[in-house]
């Protein structure tokens, strides 16, 4: 029983009206870059293609670039590590992607980014299967009720009911970043 499905979302504690423009631009840029990376995550391409697709967008928008890898293989893992160490989406990884491979793509983590989100995927013929159904976006918690808001990739403010949508906020290990 060592299967798992990694996921990362960013949650801030703040009034949505007070979010700065730099963070809003970062959210949009990272979503564009992730969508570009997902578009090349298909059989026959190589792990480096995913890295390049992601970084091509990031470099156009902000010239930041992501120096670290943007993804890795996962599956059966034993503590303290869950990676299989067989594939890493970074420069010079020429591993050929095959249908059924499981990857965790991490957008924005480290390298000076203030926003992070990830997708756990299974490589399929045309477009990868996304394993997590948690909405993409910047999660915002501003009070102590059961509702959390999130800004989707188009910066629309959406409401998400934690109880109704079976989302257990207490079970999540948040890394709080102060912006």
């Amino acid at each position: 029983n060592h299967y798992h499905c990694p996921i990362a979302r960013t949650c801030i504690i703040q009034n949505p009206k007070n979010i700065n423009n730099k963070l809003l631009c970062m959210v949009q840029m990272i979503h564009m870059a992730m969508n570009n990376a997902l578009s090349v995550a298909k059989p026959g391409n190589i792990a480096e293609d995913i890295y390049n697709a992601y970084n091509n967008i990031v470099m156009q928008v902000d010239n930041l670039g992501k120096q670290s890898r943007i993804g890795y293989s996962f599956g059966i893992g034993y503590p303290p590590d869950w990676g299989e160490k067989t594939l890493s989406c970074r420069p010079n990884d020429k591993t050929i992607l095959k249908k059924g491979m499981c990857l965790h793509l991490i957008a924005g983590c480290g390298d000076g980014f203030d926003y992070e989100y990830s997708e756990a995927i299974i490589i399929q013929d045309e477009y990868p299967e996304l394993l997590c159904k948690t909405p993409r976006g910047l999660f915002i918690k501003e009070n102590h009720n059961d509702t959390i808001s999130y800004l989707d990739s188009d910066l629309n403010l959406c409401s998400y009911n934690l109880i109704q949508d079976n989302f257990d906020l207490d079970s999540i290990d948040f890394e709080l970043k102060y912006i």
Side-chain angles (χ1 to χ4, degrees), residues 11-21 23-24 138-144 147-151 157 177 179:
C11 182
I12 60 172
I13 301 170
Q14 186 172 347
N15 182 321
K17 296 174 186 165
N18 296 334
I19 297 172
N20 67 48
N21 265 350
L23 181 57
L24 295 177
L138 174 64
F139 285 80
I140 305 154
K141 184 79 172 141
E142 60 177 317
N143 54 36
H144 296 287
T147 301
I148 192 167
S149 302
Y150 67 95
L151 288 172
L157 188 61
K177 283 189 172 183
I179 339 178

Side-chain angles (χ1 to χ4, degrees), residues 2-6 47 50 69-78 81-90 93 95-98 100-106 119-123 131:
H2 286 276
Y3 287 96
H4 63 280
C5 184
I50 296 172
R69 68 184 182 176
I70 69 145
Y72 58 90
S73 59
F74 75 94
I76 298 176
Y78 294 88
D81 192 3
W82 62 20
E84 291 184 335
K85 298 182 174 76
T86 57
L87 178 154
S88 192
C89 299
R90 67 175 69 209
D93 189 328
T95 305
I96 297 172
L97 303 177
K98 297 179 183 170
M101 285 181 160
C102 296
L103 304 179
H104 183 214
L105 303 184
I106 310 161
E119 292 291 353
I121 65 171
I122 300 175
I123 300 294
L131 294 176

